[in-house]
């Protein structure tokens, strides 16, 4: 799922930019939206969702529509943060997420007006600009060019869409997470850097070579970069195979080859120090 954020001062034209993006991105795939509603109640007492929250529910899912007209699912959750909301959209298998607001996030941002002090700006627009066809096409191209975001659930859904799944008898997954405790040492976070495009080429090569093995029908790999906190996910591997006996060796080989062959470097942050793990493992380099 590709993610783009639109930020700016109130009444600077964010809504028209978001609407134009959603309308045009829908021609390339499925689109979800997230909006930051500062100072507004998501669950006012007069609607059913609000009454359910007042009764003690943590999550409320509203399903509307009919079998003939289609179904719409609206989910509300207490204390839902941006990352959780993005993962929810990704889990649904959506192709795009357009986020309105969240100026302090690390998301790639289209900025409207003269808003300052934001990071990862990919395009700036004057306030209340006319969203003509050429400009909209430019912004759509920027959104499509963003890197993909994956969750494990999204990868599993992608595997299930492969026509070869009809021959599968098993789907197996591997999730690597940041280990917090190792002996008496506590790790707070890890930071990963990829040497591109070589890292992506290495992951693609591993995938394709594993798929040549007997009974292996599909292999998907996603390795995150940036800062990842203790307990959070680092890497996902999903393998579909004809039989379970072929599945587990492929998963094991995949993670070992990623560690050995992909130019992805890891920096560890402990209570006492921070260091690049590769330098500790290969001091001669």
């Amino acid at each position: 799922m590709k993610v783009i954020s639109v930020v700016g001062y109130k009444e600077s034209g964010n809504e028209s930019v978001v609407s134009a993006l959603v309308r045009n991105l829908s021609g390339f795939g499925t689109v979800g939206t997230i909006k930051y509603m500062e100072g507004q109640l998501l669950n006012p007492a007069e609607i059913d969702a609000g009454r359910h929250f007042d009764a003690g529910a943590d999550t409320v899912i509203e399903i509307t529509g009919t079998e003939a007209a289609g179904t719409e699912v609206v989910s509300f959750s207490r204390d839902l943060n941006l990352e959780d909301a993005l993962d929810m959209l990704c889990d649904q298998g959506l192709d795009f997420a357009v986020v309105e607001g969240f100026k302090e996030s690390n998301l790639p941002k289209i900025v409207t007006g003269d808003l300052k002090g934001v990071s990862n700006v990919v395009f700036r627009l004057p306030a209340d600009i006319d969203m003509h066809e050429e400009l909209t096409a430019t912004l759509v191209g920027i959104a499509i060019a963003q890197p993909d975001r994956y969750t494990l659930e999204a990868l599993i859904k992608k595997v299930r869409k492969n026509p070869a799944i009809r021959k599968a008898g098993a789907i197996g997954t591997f999730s690597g997470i940041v280990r917090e405790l190792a002996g008496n040492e506590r790790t707070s976070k890890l930071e990963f850097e990829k040497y591109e495009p070589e890292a992506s080429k290495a992951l693609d090569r591993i995938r394709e070579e594993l798929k040549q093995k007997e009974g292996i029908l599909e292999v998907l790999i996603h390795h995150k970069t940036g800062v990842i906190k203790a307990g959070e996910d680092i890497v996902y591997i999903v393998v579909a195979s004809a039989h379970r006996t072929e599945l587990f060796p492929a998963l094991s080989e995949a993670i070992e080859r990623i560690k050995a062959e992909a130019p992805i470097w890891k920096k560890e942050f402990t209570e006492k120090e921070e260091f690049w793990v590769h330098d500790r493992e290969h001091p001669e380099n």
Side-chain angles (χ1 to χ4, degrees):
M1 182 180 76
K2 297 178 183 296
V3 183
I4 192 75
S5 175
V6 180
V7 300
Y9 291 119
K10 193 174 182 179
E11 310 298 334
S12 63
N14 291 350
E15 295 84 356
S16 62
V17 177
V18 169
S19 296
L21 278 170
V22 172
R23 184 167 54 251
N24 287 272
L25 283 172
S26 63
F28 296 89
T30 52
V31 185
T33 63
I34 299 171
K35 181 173 182 177
Y36 181 60
M37 302 175 67
E38 184 176 11
Q40 299 183 45
L41 292 176
L42 187 62
N43 56 315
E46 63 270 15
I47 65 173
D48 287 340
R51 288 190 284 271
H52 295 177
F53 277 122
D54 289 342
D58 291 303
T59 299
V60 178
I61 297 177
E62 296 184 350
I63 301 175
T64 62
T66 64
E67 184 175 353
T71 300
E72 178 183 4
V73 179
V74 182
S75 177
F76 305 95
S77 182
R78 294 185 191 274
D79 301 321
L80 188 71
N81 61 36
L82 176 59
E83 292 298 310
D84 292 336
L86 286 169
D87 284 349
M88 286 176 63
L89 294 183
C90 197
D91 283 346
Q92 294 178 34
L94 297 180
D95 298 302
F96 302 97
V98 180
V99 178
E100 184 178 347
F102 297 94
K103 63 184 179 182
E104 296 179 357
S105 76
N106 292 321
L107 297 177
K109 300 177 184 70
I110 297 169
V111 179
T112 62
D114 59 353
L115 180 66
K116 301 294 192 299
V118 292
S119 64
N120 203 8
V121 177
V122 295
F123 204 84
R124 281 190 175 271
L125 295 169
D128 296 318
I129 190 170
D130 175 34
M131 291 300 297
H132 54 79
E133 185 175 338
E134 184 178 350
L135 176 58
T136 300
T138 297
L139 298 185
V140 166
I142 290 172
I144 291 174
Q146 297 310 308
D148 284 306
R149 179 191 185 98
Y150 285 108
T151 60
L152 181 59
E153 182 66 26
L155 288 175
I156 294 172
K157 287 186 176 182
K158 186 174 182 179
V159 166
R160 288 185 176 276
K161 291 179 180 178
N162 188 323
I165 199 67
R166 292 179 297 172
K167 301 177 182 179
I171 295 176
T173 69
F174 172 88
S175 298
I177 68 173
V178 178
R179 180 174 50 243
E180 181 178 359
L181 297 176
N184 295 323
E185 198 73 38
R186 183 183 296 273
T187 297
S188 61
K189 60 186 177 182
L190 299 177
E191 181 179 356
F192 290 88
E193 289 186 1
K194 287 182 182 178
Y195 180 56
E196 293 289 20
E198 282 71 14
S200 293
K201 290 179 180 178
L203 296 180
D204 288 341
R205 183 180 65 252
I206 294 167
R207 285 186 60 242
E208 293 304 318
E209 291 179 0
L210 286 173
K211 286 170 65 176
Q212 301 306 311
K213 293 181 176 292
E214 181 69 26
I216 301 301
L217 304 171
E218 181 61 288
V219 179
L220 295 180
I221 300 170
H222 177 63
H223 198 299
K224 297 181 181 181
T225 57
V227 175
I228 305 175
K229 297 178 182 179
E232 294 181 342
D233 296 338
I234 304 168
V235 59
Y236 301 128
I237 304 170
V238 182
V239 175
S241 64
H243 307 92
R244 64 180 182 274
T245 53
E246 300 142 349
L247 176 70
F248 298 110
L251 281 172
S252 179
E253 181 177 341
I255 188 58
E256 294 304 325
R257 289 189 60 181
I258 291 170
K259 293 171 64 177
E261 301 175 25
I264 301 174
W265 293 285
K266 177 173 66 175
K267 190 175 187 179
E268 185 167 353
F269 296 78
T270 72
E271 293 176 313
K272 299 178 181 178
E273 59 181 338
E274 58 185 68
F275 57 91
W276 289 101
V277 174
H278 183 272
D279 292 340
R280 290 284 179 89
E281 295 175 342
H282 306 279
E284 69 280 3
N285 294 333

